[in-house]
Amino acid sequence: MTRRLLPAALALAAALASSAAAEIRYVNDATPDPFQCEGAPYSTIGAALAVSQAGDEIRICPGVYPEQIVVTTDIRLTGVPLGTARPLIRPTALPTSRPSLLGGAPVTGAIIADAESARIRNLDVDLGAIGETSCTPLLTGVYLRNASGIVEDVNIRNVYGGTACDSGVGLYVESGQIRDELGKPILGLARVIIRSTNYEGYRKAGLVGAGPRTILSVKGGTATGPGDGGGIVPYGLQIGFDAKARVSGFTTSGNRSSDPARAAAGFLVWRTDQITIRKSSVTDSDEGILVVGDRVKVKKNKLSGLGRDGLVLLGDANIATGNLIEATNVSGAFINGSRNTVRGGVMRNLPVGLWFQNGIGNRFGGVRFDVVPKATQGLEAGIRADMTEAAAAPFTTN
């Protein structure tokens, strides 16, 4: 009996020792202001990181921190708001980058988390002091590289990248190959919960999830795009390259393209499947939700005031249920694929309700049409050259 209990006792002792060893370190900026954390021994986040170990937590008091944060072990970054005052990460230079796991291009950011675990809460991130950059490295506000954890109550602003570059992403979550063992690639994991995180002033996208073992749970949050991207095609939220996601309560606007051959969108699902988008909202964009993929579920969203379509399904076995789609310039939903289903919901003030181009087994029912011509409520029509897979311009590090 004693021998059986010994391994469990040793494991418990190790866990307790690890917990006891973890430390909380307070940081307060060097600028005098009314929001001081008394007794904070560090004036920069980098100084606290330099002496921290896995499991430690760095608590950041209100103030301005003109530094790039690079986390290479499992350390928590937690802001300590005092009233409306919050800590602001506002670097003036970004000397460190990491090679992307999907293509190898260098990626930089105000915060780079290159560790198995990432926990970032209650922070503001502003790249306004960086200004526009060259196309290399690719610019992000926060870059999670094979890192799992949580990003909560974070505001990311002014991530612009170069004027002519597909760069400038608020939060980029990526998974990819860690190493090779006997000719077999070993993949990292990026399973991240993202809550109440907002993106304002990006050039390419607010939030991007990419990679075969990227799994996102997005709850709440907003992405306010640049309007006309000036040659760059912006997206509020992009999930692609085999990533998976469940998104609820996300709001995005201001994603438009000046190129008639390219379609900006509130949501872009790109070459992946089994994504769920529900109870979210898109306004003032080219497309509401643009899907290039299969088995995607779009439920109870509000898509309104759009320059082209409310919903585009380019793929098979996608399901749209209970959505409100109104005031679009082309159609409520454009579908090119097979076995797609549109069920329930309302389509209002549209020239075309449902536009089916090609495919078999597509169906719709229970949709309420208001101020939609009866002849075009369910339309089977010819090719739309402006709406193919080539219309999408996803953010990529390849």
Side-chain angles (χ1 to χ4, degrees):
M1 181 66 70
T2 302
R3 289 182 179 179
R4 291 180 181 176
L5 291 174
L6 183 59
L10 290 174
L12 177 59
L16 291 173
S18 175
S19 176
E23 292 194 23
I24 297 174
R25 306 178 190 278
Y26 281 87
V27 180
N28 190 43
D29 70 332
T31 304
D33 56 49
F35 309 103
Q36 300 296 315
C37 291
E38 293 185 7
Y42 305 98
S43 60
T44 69
I45 301 167
L49 274 173
V51 296
S52 295
Q53 300 178 358
D56 289 354
E57 180 179 6
I58 297 176
R59 295 187 180 176
I60 307 163
C61 300
V64 179
Y65 299 87
E67 52 187 309
Q68 183 185 32
I69 311 304
V70 181
V71 181
T72 57
T73 190
D74 300 343
I75 294 173
R76 302 183 182 192
L77 299 176
T78 305
V80 184
L82 296 175
T84 59
R86 292 166 55 90
L88 172 63
I89 313 299
R90 196 171 192 268
T92 56
L94 300 174
T96 300
S97 64
R98 288 287 190 272
S100 165
L101 300 161
L102 303 174
V107 181
T108 191
I111 300 176
I112 299 175
D114 191 8
E116 289 187 4
S117 177
R119 293 173 176 84
I120 304 171
R121 287 186 169 97
N122 302 331
L123 293 175
D124 292 347
V125 177
D126 189 336
L127 271 69
I130 298 296
E132 294 184 349
T133 64
S134 64
C135 296
T136 303
L138 295 166
L139 184 66
T140 68
V142 178
Y143 177 27
L144 303 189
R145 187 177 187 270
N146 271 343
S148 296
I150 186 168
V151 178
E152 184 173 22
D153 195 17
V154 175
N155 300 312
I156 304 174
R157 302 189 293 266
N158 300 322
V159 189
Y160 287 115
T163 305
C165 309
D166 274 348
S167 181
V169 171
L171 171 59
Y172 180 43
V173 183
E174 180 188 59
S175 65
Q177 184 172 342
I178 301 173
R179 61 185 181 276
D180 187 275
E181 289 185 2
L182 301 176
K184 180 180 179 181
I186 304 300
L187 302 178
L189 176 67
R191 184 189 294 270
V192 183
I193 296 171
I194 303 168
R195 294 196 189 110
S196 303
T197 292
N198 305 304
Y199 317 90
E200 182 178 0
Y202 50 85
R203 190 176 301 283
K204 184 59 183 177
L207 167 61
V208 174
R213 297 193 69 200
T214 295
I215 305 167
L216 302 185
S217 173
V218 181
K219 299 179 181 180
T222 63
T224 305
D228 180 351
I232 305 302
V233 183
Y235 301 99
L237 189 155
Q238 174 189 313
I239 305 295
F241 302 102
D242 298 319
K244 303 291 185 260
R246 293 178 62 87
V247 182
S248 63
F250 191 83
T251 299
T252 179
S253 64
N255 299 285
R256 293 188 176 274
S257 169
S258 58
D259 183 350
R262 299 287 190 177
F267 291 85
L268 173 63
V269 176
W270 176 256
R271 293 186 180 175
T272 189
D273 56 15
Q274 301 180 51
I275 307 297
T276 299
I277 302 170
R278 63 190 298 272
K279 293 185 178 180
S280 295
S281 173
V282 183
T283 59
D284 185 28
S285 298
D286 290 345
E287 306 290 342
I289 300 175
L290 172 54
V291 174
V292 181
D294 304 322
R295 297 186 297 279
V296 174
K297 296 178 181 179
V298 181
K299 299 181 176 182
K300 297 183 180 180
N301 301 285
K302 181 178 181 181
L303 313 172
S304 62
L306 303 167
R308 302 188 192 182
D309 309 274
L311 173 63
V312 174
L313 302 176
L314 305 181
D316 302 328
N318 299 295
I319 299 175
T321 59
N323 298 287
L324 169 61
I325 304 175
E326 60 183 352
T328 71
N329 288 344
V330 178
S331 77
F334 175 74
I335 298 168
N336 186 0
S338 297
R339 303 182 306 281
N340 296 287
T341 300
V342 179
R343 185 170 58 244
V346 176
M347 294 192 176
R348 178 186 298 150
N349 294 324
L350 309 171
V352 176
L354 290 136
W355 184 332
F356 297 96
Q357 180 172 292
N358 288 314
I360 60 173
N362 295 308
R363 58 184 182 175
F364 73 95
V367 179
R368 192 181 88 198
F369 295 99
D370 292 338
V371 197
V372 181
K374 188 172 181 61
T376 60
Q377 290 178 0
L379 178 68
E380 294 186 11
I383 301 296
R384 271 184 65 184
D386 69 320
M387 188 41 61
T388 66
E389 183 176 314
F395 172 76
T396 174
T397 61
N398 190 354

